Amino acid sequence: MTSVSVDNQTTAQEAHTDDYSLDRVPRSERKMGWLSITNITFGIATAIFYFQMGSVMALQFGAINALISSAYAIIVAGILGSFIAYFSAKSGMNVNLMSRGGGFGYIGASLTSLIYASNFILYVAFEGLILVAAVYTFFPSIPQWVLIVFFGTIVIPLNWFGIKQLDKLQKWSLPIFFVFLIAAIVFSFLTPSVYEGSFWTYMPEGVEVGGTALLACIGMHHGIMGLTALLASDYTRFLKPKDIKKGSIIIGFVPQFFCFGVMGGLGIWFGVRLGEANPGVYIVTLLGLGGALFTALTQLRINVTNIYSASLSLSNFFENMFRFTPGRRFWVVVAGILAIVLMLGGIVDHLGAVMTFQGVFLLAWAAVLVADALIVKKMLKIGPLYYEARQKYLYKWNPVGTVALIVASVLGTIAALGFMGEFLASTAAFFAAILAAILTVVLAIATKGRYYMRKQPEEVPEEDFIA
């Protein structure tokens, strides 16, 4: 065997160990069915965070406004998620890699990778603190910092073996989750309701259907919709080619329906019926110690997916910027440690500000990718009809996606802070997404696609073309 073939074999083995964090998944390794991938994405869909969002919206702005906003979130995030899943499955890449050849250039895409990674690390911290609070309720003698370190560390070994380990973990824990969920619903029926009417008729005094209250609910949903739409790409890149069309729609919509429809809807139900917005309180009230176990299960399920996505994004950023490639497992450890530091530092006190920027940035990023693929590449035939992630073929910067995202994120954040009026304050993320899509098309036409490719590769299989 020649040294070249040995090197290629070693590289392939390393890439497989790291779940192809730095290049497209080869077609020979795209072996997962849509059901397995949908199962993995349920890790984020079953988070108690969605209970809390539904409960808060219902108690503050009325149950019907919360339900209408949930339907909006399912539709918009489902459409974006289906497109992102399709592009990912066709190309064998996640959004970090797609961004390189999808309008950003390899350094421009590094910026998205870093912010994307920081979002997941922040969510590990937020979700971890919910778990810590639930366990601390029953074991107050254990210092909270000990619980933070323990639960922050335990997700690291659960992520060690990549997507196959995630598939098994989510598959075997999902039935247990549903047992706890059904038990919580049953016990809520047995618990006297603090509200006498049907839960969907609940409306706080002075609040009406629609208007400002509905916009406030939509604004809250915008803070998470971009993440749920983009997240699937970390897994759909392993989808079997024969499952792409059907699987992309299922993977795009089913998790959104469960996030905002089932979990969010139950959050509305629990919040109104029990008169409490914090699921860490009412789940424990309903199930006792079982509630703490239920919380632990849901939070571990979501945090292993958060750590996985964070590790992929960190791998991309440091490979792009510094040629530093220690492997995905190294970044799993780094992400876990950073999340622990954030938890110890009280990051939950800044949840509102973080979600405001995150919602604007992520929804705008998703809009850039979709506009680039559907309009620029497919309709206008500007730039390549495929994604390329290797640096030797790419420019450092492509103004098409980079400028569109920066401008849209800055103006969207200004709008979210209230400087452009009440309507845009609540719809800032959607405003940023529309602006990002328009700018992507305008800049692609203006630059005539010259910054997409520095030189053309010859070996991209036609089956990986997205347009």
Side-chain angles (χ1 to χ4, degrees):
M1 184 179 292
T2 66
S3 61
V4 173
S5 62
V6 171
D7 289 341
N8 289 339
Q9 186 178 23
T10 302
T11 301
Q13 289 172 345
E14 289 173 353
H16 185 66
T17 301
D18 280 350
D19 276 2
Y20 303 96
S21 59
L22 301 176
D23 201 357
R24 73 175 71 239
V25 177
R27 295 186 70 80
S28 60
E29 293 296 330
R30 301 178 204 175
K31 301 175 181 178
M32 297 187 71
W34 61 265
L35 184 59
S36 290
I37 293 174
T38 303
N39 170 64
I40 294 173
T41 62
F42 262 60
I44 189 171
T46 55
I48 280 183
F49 175 83
Y50 297 104
F51 277 169
Q52 186 162 13
M53 182 179 288
S55 299
V56 169
M57 286 191 297
L59 293 178
Q60 289 187 7
F61 306 110
I64 191 65
N65 285 319
L67 288 168
I68 294 171
S69 181
S70 296
Y72 161 82
I74 293 169
I75 293 169
V76 175
I79 292 172
L80 282 176
S82 295
F83 280 124
I84 296 294
Y86 177 80
F87 304 147
S88 172
K90 282 287 286 183
S91 65
M93 300 182 187
N94 66 2
V95 288
N96 295 298
L97 293 173
M98 286 194 290
S99 293
R100 297 186 187 186
F104 290 89
Y106 70 84
I107 297 298
S110 297
L111 301 178
T112 62
S113 294
L114 182 62
I115 298 176
Y116 197 42
S118 67
N119 285 327
F120 282 111
I121 293 169
L122 286 165
Y123 267 111
V124 173
F126 291 144
E127 304 288 357
L129 285 171
I130 293 175
L131 172 54
V132 167
V135 174
Y136 186 73
T137 300
F138 283 92
F139 303 102
S141 60
I142 303 176
Q144 285 194 341
W145 71 266
V146 173
L147 295 174
I148 287 173
V149 172
F150 175 75
F151 289 116
T153 303
I154 198 171
V155 294
I156 294 174
L158 293 175
N159 231 293
W160 205 247
F161 296 103
I163 194 164
K164 292 184 178 180
Q165 183 181 15
L166 288 184
D167 183 29
K168 291 178 181 178
L169 176 66
Q170 304 292 15
K171 185 179 296 180
W172 291 108
S173 61
L174 190 61
I176 302 172
F177 164 83
F178 277 116
V179 168
F180 277 119
L181 182 62
I182 293 169
I185 295 171
V186 169
F187 278 98
S188 71
F189 273 108
L190 300 176
T191 303
S193 175
V194 298
Y195 177 65
E196 295 181 357
S198 300
F199 83 99
W200 62 82
T201 65
Y202 175 81
M203 191 70 69
E205 187 176 350
V207 177
E208 297 179 352
V209 177
T212 304
L214 178 58
L215 288 176
C217 291
I218 289 174
M220 290 180 67
H221 272 128
H222 279 160
I224 188 67
M225 284 165 52
L227 181 69
T228 59
L230 291 165
L231 176 68
S233 74
D234 288 334
Y235 313 107
T236 47
R237 60 204 177 102
F238 291 95
L239 185 63
K240 294 176 181 177
K242 70 180 184 66
D243 286 352
I244 288 178
K245 290 185 177 179
K246 176 177 69 174
S248 297
I249 296 173
I250 293 172
I251 296 164
F253 269 96
V254 171
Q256 316 302 335
F257 176 78
F258 205 86
C259 287
F260 305 115
V262 177
M263 295 295 284
L266 285 172
I268 296 169
W269 156 268
F270 286 134
V272 170
R273 187 172 181 83
L274 303 174
E276 172 60 56
N278 188 343
V281 174
Y282 60 68
I283 292 296
V284 171
T285 300
L286 290 171
L287 300 180
L289 182 59
L293 294 174
F294 181 38
T295 303
L297 178 68
T298 60
Q299 301 315 94
L300 288 175
R301 279 171 56 82
I302 185 173
N303 267 354
V304 292
T305 63
N306 284 336
I307 286 281
Y308 181 80
S309 294
S311 69
L312 294 179
S313 297
L314 289 172
S315 295
N316 271 275
F317 174 76
F318 281 91
E319 188 263 346
N320 254 353
M321 293 297 292
F322 307 108
R323 298 283 187 167
F324 181 55
T325 56
R328 188 190 63 84
R329 289 172 176 171
F330 173 84
W331 296 115
V332 167
V333 176
V334 170
I337 292 172
L338 289 174
I340 291 171
V341 171
L342 289 173
M343 284 190 277
L344 293 173
I347 186 61
V348 73
D349 297 333
H350 307 284
L351 177 61
V354 169
M355 287 197 66
T356 296
F357 173 75
Q358 177 179 281
V360 167
F361 170 81
L362 292 178
L363 216 56
W365 183 18
V368 169
L369 290 174
V370 172
D372 173 77
L374 290 183
I375 302 176
V376 176
K377 285 181 166 62
K378 191 172 182 66
M379 293 176 59
L380 300 178
K381 306 299 182 184
I382 296 175
L385 303 181
Y386 53 85
Y387 288 119
E388 179 55 65
R390 292 166 292 182
Q391 291 187 12
K392 63 181 179 179
Y393 298 111
L394 300 169
Y395 286 100
K396 290 183 178 180
W397 299 93
N398 186 341
V400 173
T402 307
V403 173
L405 181 62
I406 291 173
V407 171
S409 296
V410 169
L411 292 179
T413 301
I414 292 172
L417 295 175
F419 293 107
M420 295 185 182
E422 186 177 346
F423 177 76
L424 284 181
S426 298
T427 59
F430 190 76
F431 160 69
I434 296 297
L435 180 60
I438 293 172
L439 287 174
T440 298
V441 177
V442 170
L443 288 166
I445 294 172
T447 60
K448 299 179 180 179
R450 62 171 295 192
Y451 297 104
Y452 276 88
M453 301 293 294
R454 192 161 59 87
K455 62 178 181 178
Q456 298 290 332
E458 298 178 355
E459 72 280 12
V460 178
E462 191 172 343
E463 295 88 346
D464 285 355
F465 283 25
I466 62 163

